[in-house]
Amino acid sequence: MPNARRRYGCAVTPAPPHDLAPAVLVRGARLVPVGGQPAPAEPVDLRIRDGLVTEIAPTLNPQDEEEVHHAEGRWAIPGLWDHHVHMAQWANTLTRVDMTGTGGPEEVTERLAAHLAVLPAGDTDSVVTGFGHRSALWTRQPTVAELDAVSGRHPVVLVSGDAHNGWLNTAALRLLDAPATTGALRETDWFPVFARLDSLPGAAEAARAAYDLAVDRAASVGVVGIGDMEFGPAHRDWPRRFARGVRGLRVRAATYPEGLDAVIAEGLATGDDLGETGGQVRMGPLKIISDGSLNTRSAYCREPYADSATPAEARGRPNYDAAELTDLFARARSHGLTVAVHAIGDAAVERALDCFAATGATGAVEHAQLMRTEDVSRMAALGVVASVQPAHLLDDRDVIERCWPDRIDRCFPLRSMIDAGVILHLGSDAPVSPLDPWLAMAAAVYRSGDDRDPWASSQQIGAAEALAASTDDQRTLAVGSRGDIALLDADPLAATDSPVAAAEVLGSMTVSLTLLGGRVTHAG
């Protein structure tokens, strides 16, 4: 199954303002059946008015004011969603030094030295940021001193591939007022420092260009909407971005406990329109990070990690005690906010479901990488969504086999969740995985990204199920559907004979046209 970053299309037509959505006719499209709803056997025409599909027929006559797009037999699906993105971080990675695939601190410092060597001659102290190293399987952990040895006066900030730790040199630690350390900063020490990266010199200008690129790339793979789990006041930031022309996506902007009082004071509830965006940007959930991550051995588990060297944290750790977590859920519910709770370990998932049950809050468990069998059925009974990122299993496979070798059958239990009736929403957690729904779908279907056999293959799901989990609960395009459409160059459900064949089709998919409410956001 392909596991490389795809080549993105670049022929993008900027979307006009939301109040000028054109009248559109899409001619000769083959509708893909999504979510169990049948589709016509032959190509059809679709008419879009005011952002909605208003007519579907074998042939529709163009009207004078209509913008006509010829599908020429391509396959049409509802526009795709990535339900879990850290958009600012993802955008920034597109311009950061790539540290993915490094096998140890020495490889990282070699790449850093090579990058510094090609900077302009007069640049002796600019801030250098990198992204993508994963130290969980390194034979030793990195030190501040070895970054200092190659970086000169440049402040250097290296963000880990799961974004849960940061490796900084001394100049960067001082610049960002970070806690003193001899190694990498982890989670509670790291996250406040991570948030301050946006205040670095030149960050605002770079961020604007990076957002434009990130939104265009998302549209090029058929994405029309995201759940933005970025830190900071996203409910204020996105209307400003929209006003300056970043209009290629629908956005649900989350808040964190640190911003909850402000959101409540502004009277905002999940689903409310934000700013003058015509409903394209809406208030999202309260995002709570209840435990840590697998790669930092801080995901909260019921049993010890198999390779734990620290008895005090052998099972990871929660970030909130039970009473604190329950109180956050209750506050969210009482003010009309859904909850998106980060829970990776099985103990964290169990505690999250306890809070949903105790408070009556609604929402999603984000990640749910390790679950008790009984909690799968409990999640279904509570109506809690599983917001999962299947491409993580490609990166975490080796770490899981070291840390949780006795519970692999309960990791990323996608098949079990679907069979129990849990609603799945797929995403990327970009930048932890690329913002690419086709990669996520392929990973869910095949569960391997290299020549090895799929692991825990009993948890594979079908291509149709993966697609249905990627369209924001939109089904086969029909009258009344959103005018959010992706035209594909191949049938995503064509390969039904084997998971590997289905994953190959999904992982190599190309998108020829993306419409957002009828507006073109990508034309390849």
Side-chain angles (χ1 to χ4, degrees):
M1 189 201 82
N3 186 26
R5 293 176 185 262
R6 67 171 61 243
R7 293 183 178 180
Y8 293 86
C10 59
V12 176
T13 302
H18 66 282
D19 55 350
L20 297 179
V24 169
L25 181 65
V26 178
R27 308 208 70 179
R30 300 178 186 273
L31 302 190
V32 177
V34 179
Q37 284 189 354
E42 300 299 326
V44 295
D45 295 353
L46 302 94
R47 176 163 282 131
I48 300 172
R49 287 286 192 281
D50 298 323
L52 297 175
V53 177
T54 58
E55 288 184 83
I56 297 179
T59 303
L60 294 171
N61 294 323
Q63 299 177 358
D64 290 342
E65 77 281 11
E66 280 185 330
E67 180 181 294
V68 179
H69 299 282
H70 295 279
E72 297 178 332
R74 290 183 174 86
W75 287 261
I77 61 170
L80 300 173
W81 276 68
D82 189 317
H83 291 93
H84 188 128
V85 178
H86 298 268
M87 196 61 176
Q89 297 174 44
W90 168 242
N92 286 334
T93 63
L94 302 179
T95 58
R96 287 176 174 167
V97 183
D98 184 10
M99 296 296 180
T100 57
T102 46
E106 297 86 359
E107 288 188 39
V108 171
T109 55
E110 286 175 8
R111 288 195 195 181
L112 175 61
H115 173 78
L116 294 172
V118 298
L119 291 178
D123 182 357
T124 59
D125 57 2
S126 63
V127 179
V128 175
T129 57
F131 174 81
H133 69 280
R134 292 176 180 267
S135 60
L137 297 178
W138 289 358
T139 57
R140 67 176 181 84
Q141 292 303 297
T143 67
V144 172
E146 58 194 315
L147 277 189
D148 288 346
V150 298
S151 56
R153 293 181 357 201
H154 293 275
V156 174
V157 181
L158 303 180
V159 183
S160 67
D162 65 358
H164 275 249
N165 69 74
W167 180 17
L168 284 66
N169 68 354
T170 298
L173 290 168
R174 290 172 179 161
L175 179 65
L176 290 163
D177 193 26
T181 182
T182 58
L185 296 171
R186 294 175 54 188
E187 292 173 341
T188 53
D189 286 334
W190 162 240
F191 288 144
V193 176
F194 197 5
R196 290 198 284 275
L197 294 184
D198 290 341
S199 65
L200 291 174
E205 295 79 6
R208 282 194 288 271
Y211 263 96
D212 291 339
L213 177 60
V215 170
D216 286 351
R217 287 194 173 184
S220 77
V221 290
V223 172
V224 298
I226 61 169
D228 191 6
M229 304 294 176
E230 192 55 81
F231 300 108
H235 67 288
R236 296 173 184 164
D237 292 339
W238 269 106
R240 288 196 286 265
R241 293 183 192 117
F242 188 92
R244 77 166 183 82
V246 183
R247 300 181 178 184
L249 292 172
R250 300 189 190 277
V251 178
R252 295 178 188 138
T255 189
Y256 281 75
E258 296 78 8
L260 182 57
D261 287 343
V263 168
I264 291 172
E266 293 176 42
L268 293 172
T270 297
D272 285 352
D273 293 358
L274 295 177
E276 301 298 321
T277 66
Q280 190 171 317
V281 179
R282 296 179 182 272
M283 188 68 218
L286 169 65
K287 170 72 183 298
I288 305 169
I289 302 178
S290 76
D291 72 339
S293 72
L294 169 64
N295 282 275
T296 56
R297 310 298 198 276
S298 54
Y300 183 39
C301 301
R302 291 175 59 86
E303 292 87 31
Y305 287 72
D307 67 341
S308 175
T310 310
E313 294 187 352
R315 298 190 298 120
R317 61 182 182 276
N319 293 329
Y320 300 89
D321 65 32
E324 292 170 331
L325 195 60
T326 302
D327 179 65
L328 284 171
F329 274 66
R331 289 189 69 202
R333 180 179 183 273
S334 65
H335 292 283
L337 292 165
T338 60
V339 175
V341 56
H342 163 123
I344 290 180
D346 54 357
V349 175
E350 179 185 14
R351 181 172 285 186
L353 295 178
D354 289 344
C355 291
F356 279 116
T359 64
T362 59
V365 172
E366 304 290 333
H367 309 308
Q369 284 188 212
L370 176 66
M371 291 185 67
R372 299 189 307 160
T373 301
E374 53 265 49
D375 281 334
V376 173
S377 56
R378 192 156 69 113
M379 180 180 284
L382 289 168
V384 174
V385 171
S387 177
V388 296
Q389 299 76 40
H392 286 3
L393 65 86
L394 307 178
D395 295 319
D396 289 350
R397 175 176 185 163
D398 294 330
V399 184
I400 286 173
E401 289 177 353
R402 175 181 291 186
C403 296
W404 300 337
D406 54 338
R407 58 206 95 161
I408 288 175
D409 59 324
R410 298 189 285 116
C411 292
F412 298 93
L414 306 185
R415 176 81 268 150
S416 295
M417 288 194 278
I418 285 181
D419 288 348
V422 175
I423 295 173
L424 290 189
H425 284 171
L426 301 193
S428 65
D429 198 16
V432 181
S433 295
L435 202 171
D436 183 349
W438 302 105
L439 174 63
M441 285 186 261
V445 167
Y446 188 52
R447 295 179 71 96
S448 181
D450 51 35
D451 293 335
R452 291 179 290 180
D453 290 338
W455 64 292
S457 60
S458 63
Q459 294 296 342
Q460 292 172 330
I461 66 174
E465 293 165 324
L467 179 61
S470 305
T471 60
D472 196 42
D473 300 322
Q474 297 291 294
R475 299 312 186 214
T476 305
L477 290 166
V479 172
S481 296
R482 298 173 191 159
D484 299 348
I485 297 174
L487 284 183
L488 314 178
D489 290 335
D491 180 357
L493 307 184
T496 58
D497 54 339
S498 72
V500 65
E504 287 286 351
V505 169
L506 294 169
S508 60
M509 187 61 63
T510 55
V511 177
S512 65
L513 182 73
T514 305
L515 300 176
L516 178 68
R519 294 179 285 121
V520 176
T521 56
H522 166 74

